[in-house]
């Protein structure tokens, strides 16, 4: 009697959806954040430099400039320098006059500090909890420069931005705070670019770039940028080269923090849609 044999069973076909994705490949929601970062950079550059309109972001500029100068001050104190004068103004920029200390360390601290704080706020654009934590830093940072401010419009706008931030806590479980913090992050991490069509008062030519420098070109800013100060400290390297170096540095750090946000706060599209 012949035995009945079962036909061979083919191995299961691998599903196309089961192919693992790179940890640095952004999800759908994260792609939106990347596009928003680009859009915010364009908007910030315009608002920073366009007359009349630039007054609308004076409180945010004071926060950005104030932190930048605080980094100079901290580096000066740590290196044994003595602070002679501090200027923080949304129209003429900031300046910290120091006696002694280590000039290279003090100058570098400004852009590096702005970049690191901006990077932290960039990460807040990927996660609501991080945004809520950093909103306290922003709340205090917006109020502190008012000690030096006498302009009534700037004071009024500062309280408006504070109220807006508090209101965002209650919009969609704080999701709106992500975009608020992301805006602050882009402004800080691209500080050299936000103000950069650079005019060096110590050289006979104009340098067209995108950073701590457009105020000088269009609005005759009285305080030199850090790039100018570096060119004075190291005369063989022009201010345009220093500005270019810091622009590349900050763009690279922006890309790095964006990749870090994608990697650390990776959320599948289906999970993000659920909530």
């Amino acid at each position: 009697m012949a035995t009945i044999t079962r036909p061979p069973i083919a191995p299961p076909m691998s599903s196309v959806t089961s192919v693992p994705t790179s940890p640095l490949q952004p999800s759908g929601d994260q792609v939106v954040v990347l596009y928003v970062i680009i859009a915010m950079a364009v908007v910030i550059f315009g608002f920073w430099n366009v007359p009349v309109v630039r007054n609308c972001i004076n409180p945010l500029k004071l926060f950005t400039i104030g932190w930048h100068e605080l980094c100079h001050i901290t580096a000066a104190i740590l290196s044994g320098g003595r602070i002679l004068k501090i200027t923080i103004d949304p129209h003429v920029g900031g300046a910290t006059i120091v006696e002694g200390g280590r000039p290279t360390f003090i100058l570098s601290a400004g852009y590096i500090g702005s970049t690191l704080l901006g990077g932290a706020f960039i990460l807040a654009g990927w996660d609501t909890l991080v945004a809520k934590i950093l909103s306290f830093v922003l709340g205090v940072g917006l109020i502190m420069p008012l000690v030096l401010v006498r302009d009534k419009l700037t004071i009024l706008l500062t309280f408006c931005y504070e109220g807006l931030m508090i209101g965002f806590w209650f919009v969609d479980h704080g999701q709106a705070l992500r975009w608020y913090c992301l805006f602050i992050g882009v402004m800080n991490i691209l500080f050299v670019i936000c103000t950069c069509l650079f005019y060096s008062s110590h050289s006979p030519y104009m340098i067209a770039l995108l950073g701590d420098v457009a105020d000088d070109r269009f609005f005759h800013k009285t305080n030199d940028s850090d790039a100018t100060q570096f060119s004075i400290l190291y005369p063989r390297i022009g201010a345009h080269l220093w500005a270019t170096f810091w622009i590349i540095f900050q763009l690279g750090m922006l890309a790095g923090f964006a990749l870090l946000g994608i990697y650390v706060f990776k959320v599948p599209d289906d999970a993000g849609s659920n909530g």
Side-chain angles (χ1 to χ4, degrees):
M1 182 177 180
T3 59
I4 300 176
T5 59
R6 299 181 61 181
I9 300 176
M13 297 292 293
S14 60
S15 174
V16 176
T17 58
S18 65
V19 177
T21 59
S22 168
L24 294 180
Q25 180 177 338
S27 62
D29 291 339
Q30 291 177 328
V31 170
V32 173
V33 177
L34 295 175
Y35 282 122
V36 171
I37 288 175
I38 297 173
M40 285 181 173
V42 175
V43 170
I44 289 169
F45 180 75
F47 270 63
W48 194 288
N49 295 294
V50 175
V52 181
V53 177
R54 66 192 186 123
N55 294 330
C56 297
I57 63 169
N58 274 353
L60 305 184
K61 291 174 69 175
L62 283 173
F63 173 79
T64 301
I65 296 170
W67 171 259
H68 181 86
E69 298 306 322
L70 179 61
C71 293
H72 286 312
I73 294 168
T74 303
I77 294 174
L78 290 176
S79 62
R82 186 165 66 94
I83 308 300
L84 301 180
K85 182 182 178 181
I86 303 171
T87 300
I88 300 175
D89 188 279
H91 303 300
V92 301
T96 300
I97 310 301
V98 179
E99 181 181 64
R102 298 180 178 274
T104 303
F105 175 59
I106 296 170
L107 278 175
S108 301
Y111 286 146
I112 292 176
S114 295
T115 302
L116 293 178
L117 181 71
F121 275 92
I122 289 290
L123 293 179
W126 306 96
D127 185 74
T128 305
L129 178 60
V130 178
K132 288 182 176 180
I133 294 173
L134 287 180
S135 69
F136 291 99
V137 177
L138 179 59
V140 175
L142 287 173
I143 292 294
M144 288 183 65
L146 293 184
V147 177
L148 305 175
V149 173
R150 298 295 179 268
D151 179 58
K152 294 181 179 179
L153 176 61
T154 301
I155 295 174
L156 176 62
L157 287 173
T158 299
F159 286 106
C160 290
Y161 278 110
E162 289 279 7
L164 190 65
M165 183 182 64
I166 295 173
F168 282 165
W169 266 78
F170 305 99
V171 176
D172 193 17
H173 304 287
Q175 287 289 327
L177 275 177
R178 289 174 50 207
W179 308 114
Y180 194 105
C181 289
L182 188 64
F183 189 86
I184 299 298
V186 174
M187 181 178 289
N188 277 268
I189 203 170
L190 298 182
F191 178 75
V192 65
I193 297 180
C194 289
T195 50
C196 193
L197 271 170
F198 183 76
Y199 173 77
S200 173
S201 59
H202 300 280
S203 71
Y205 51 87
M206 206 79 69
I207 304 164
L209 292 171
L210 291 176
D212 181 24
V213 264
D215 287 336
D216 298 325
R217 173 63 180 87
F218 294 115
F219 307 111
H220 308 290
K221 193 179 74 171
T222 58
N223 297 324
D224 289 331
S225 70
D226 291 354
T228 300
Q229 295 300 316
F230 270 111
S231 68
I232 297 172
L233 189 60
Y234 301 99
R236 293 186 178 182
I237 304 177
H240 61 296
L241 293 178
W242 282 112
T244 302
F245 166 77
W246 286 111
I247 287 173
I248 294 173
F249 169 78
Q250 291 196 330
L251 287 174
M253 292 297 289
L254 172 59
F257 276 106
L259 290 174
L260 181 62
I262 292 173
Y263 178 78
V264 174
F265 303 112
K266 171 75 71 175
V267 177
D269 290 327
D270 53 352
S273 63
N274 293 333

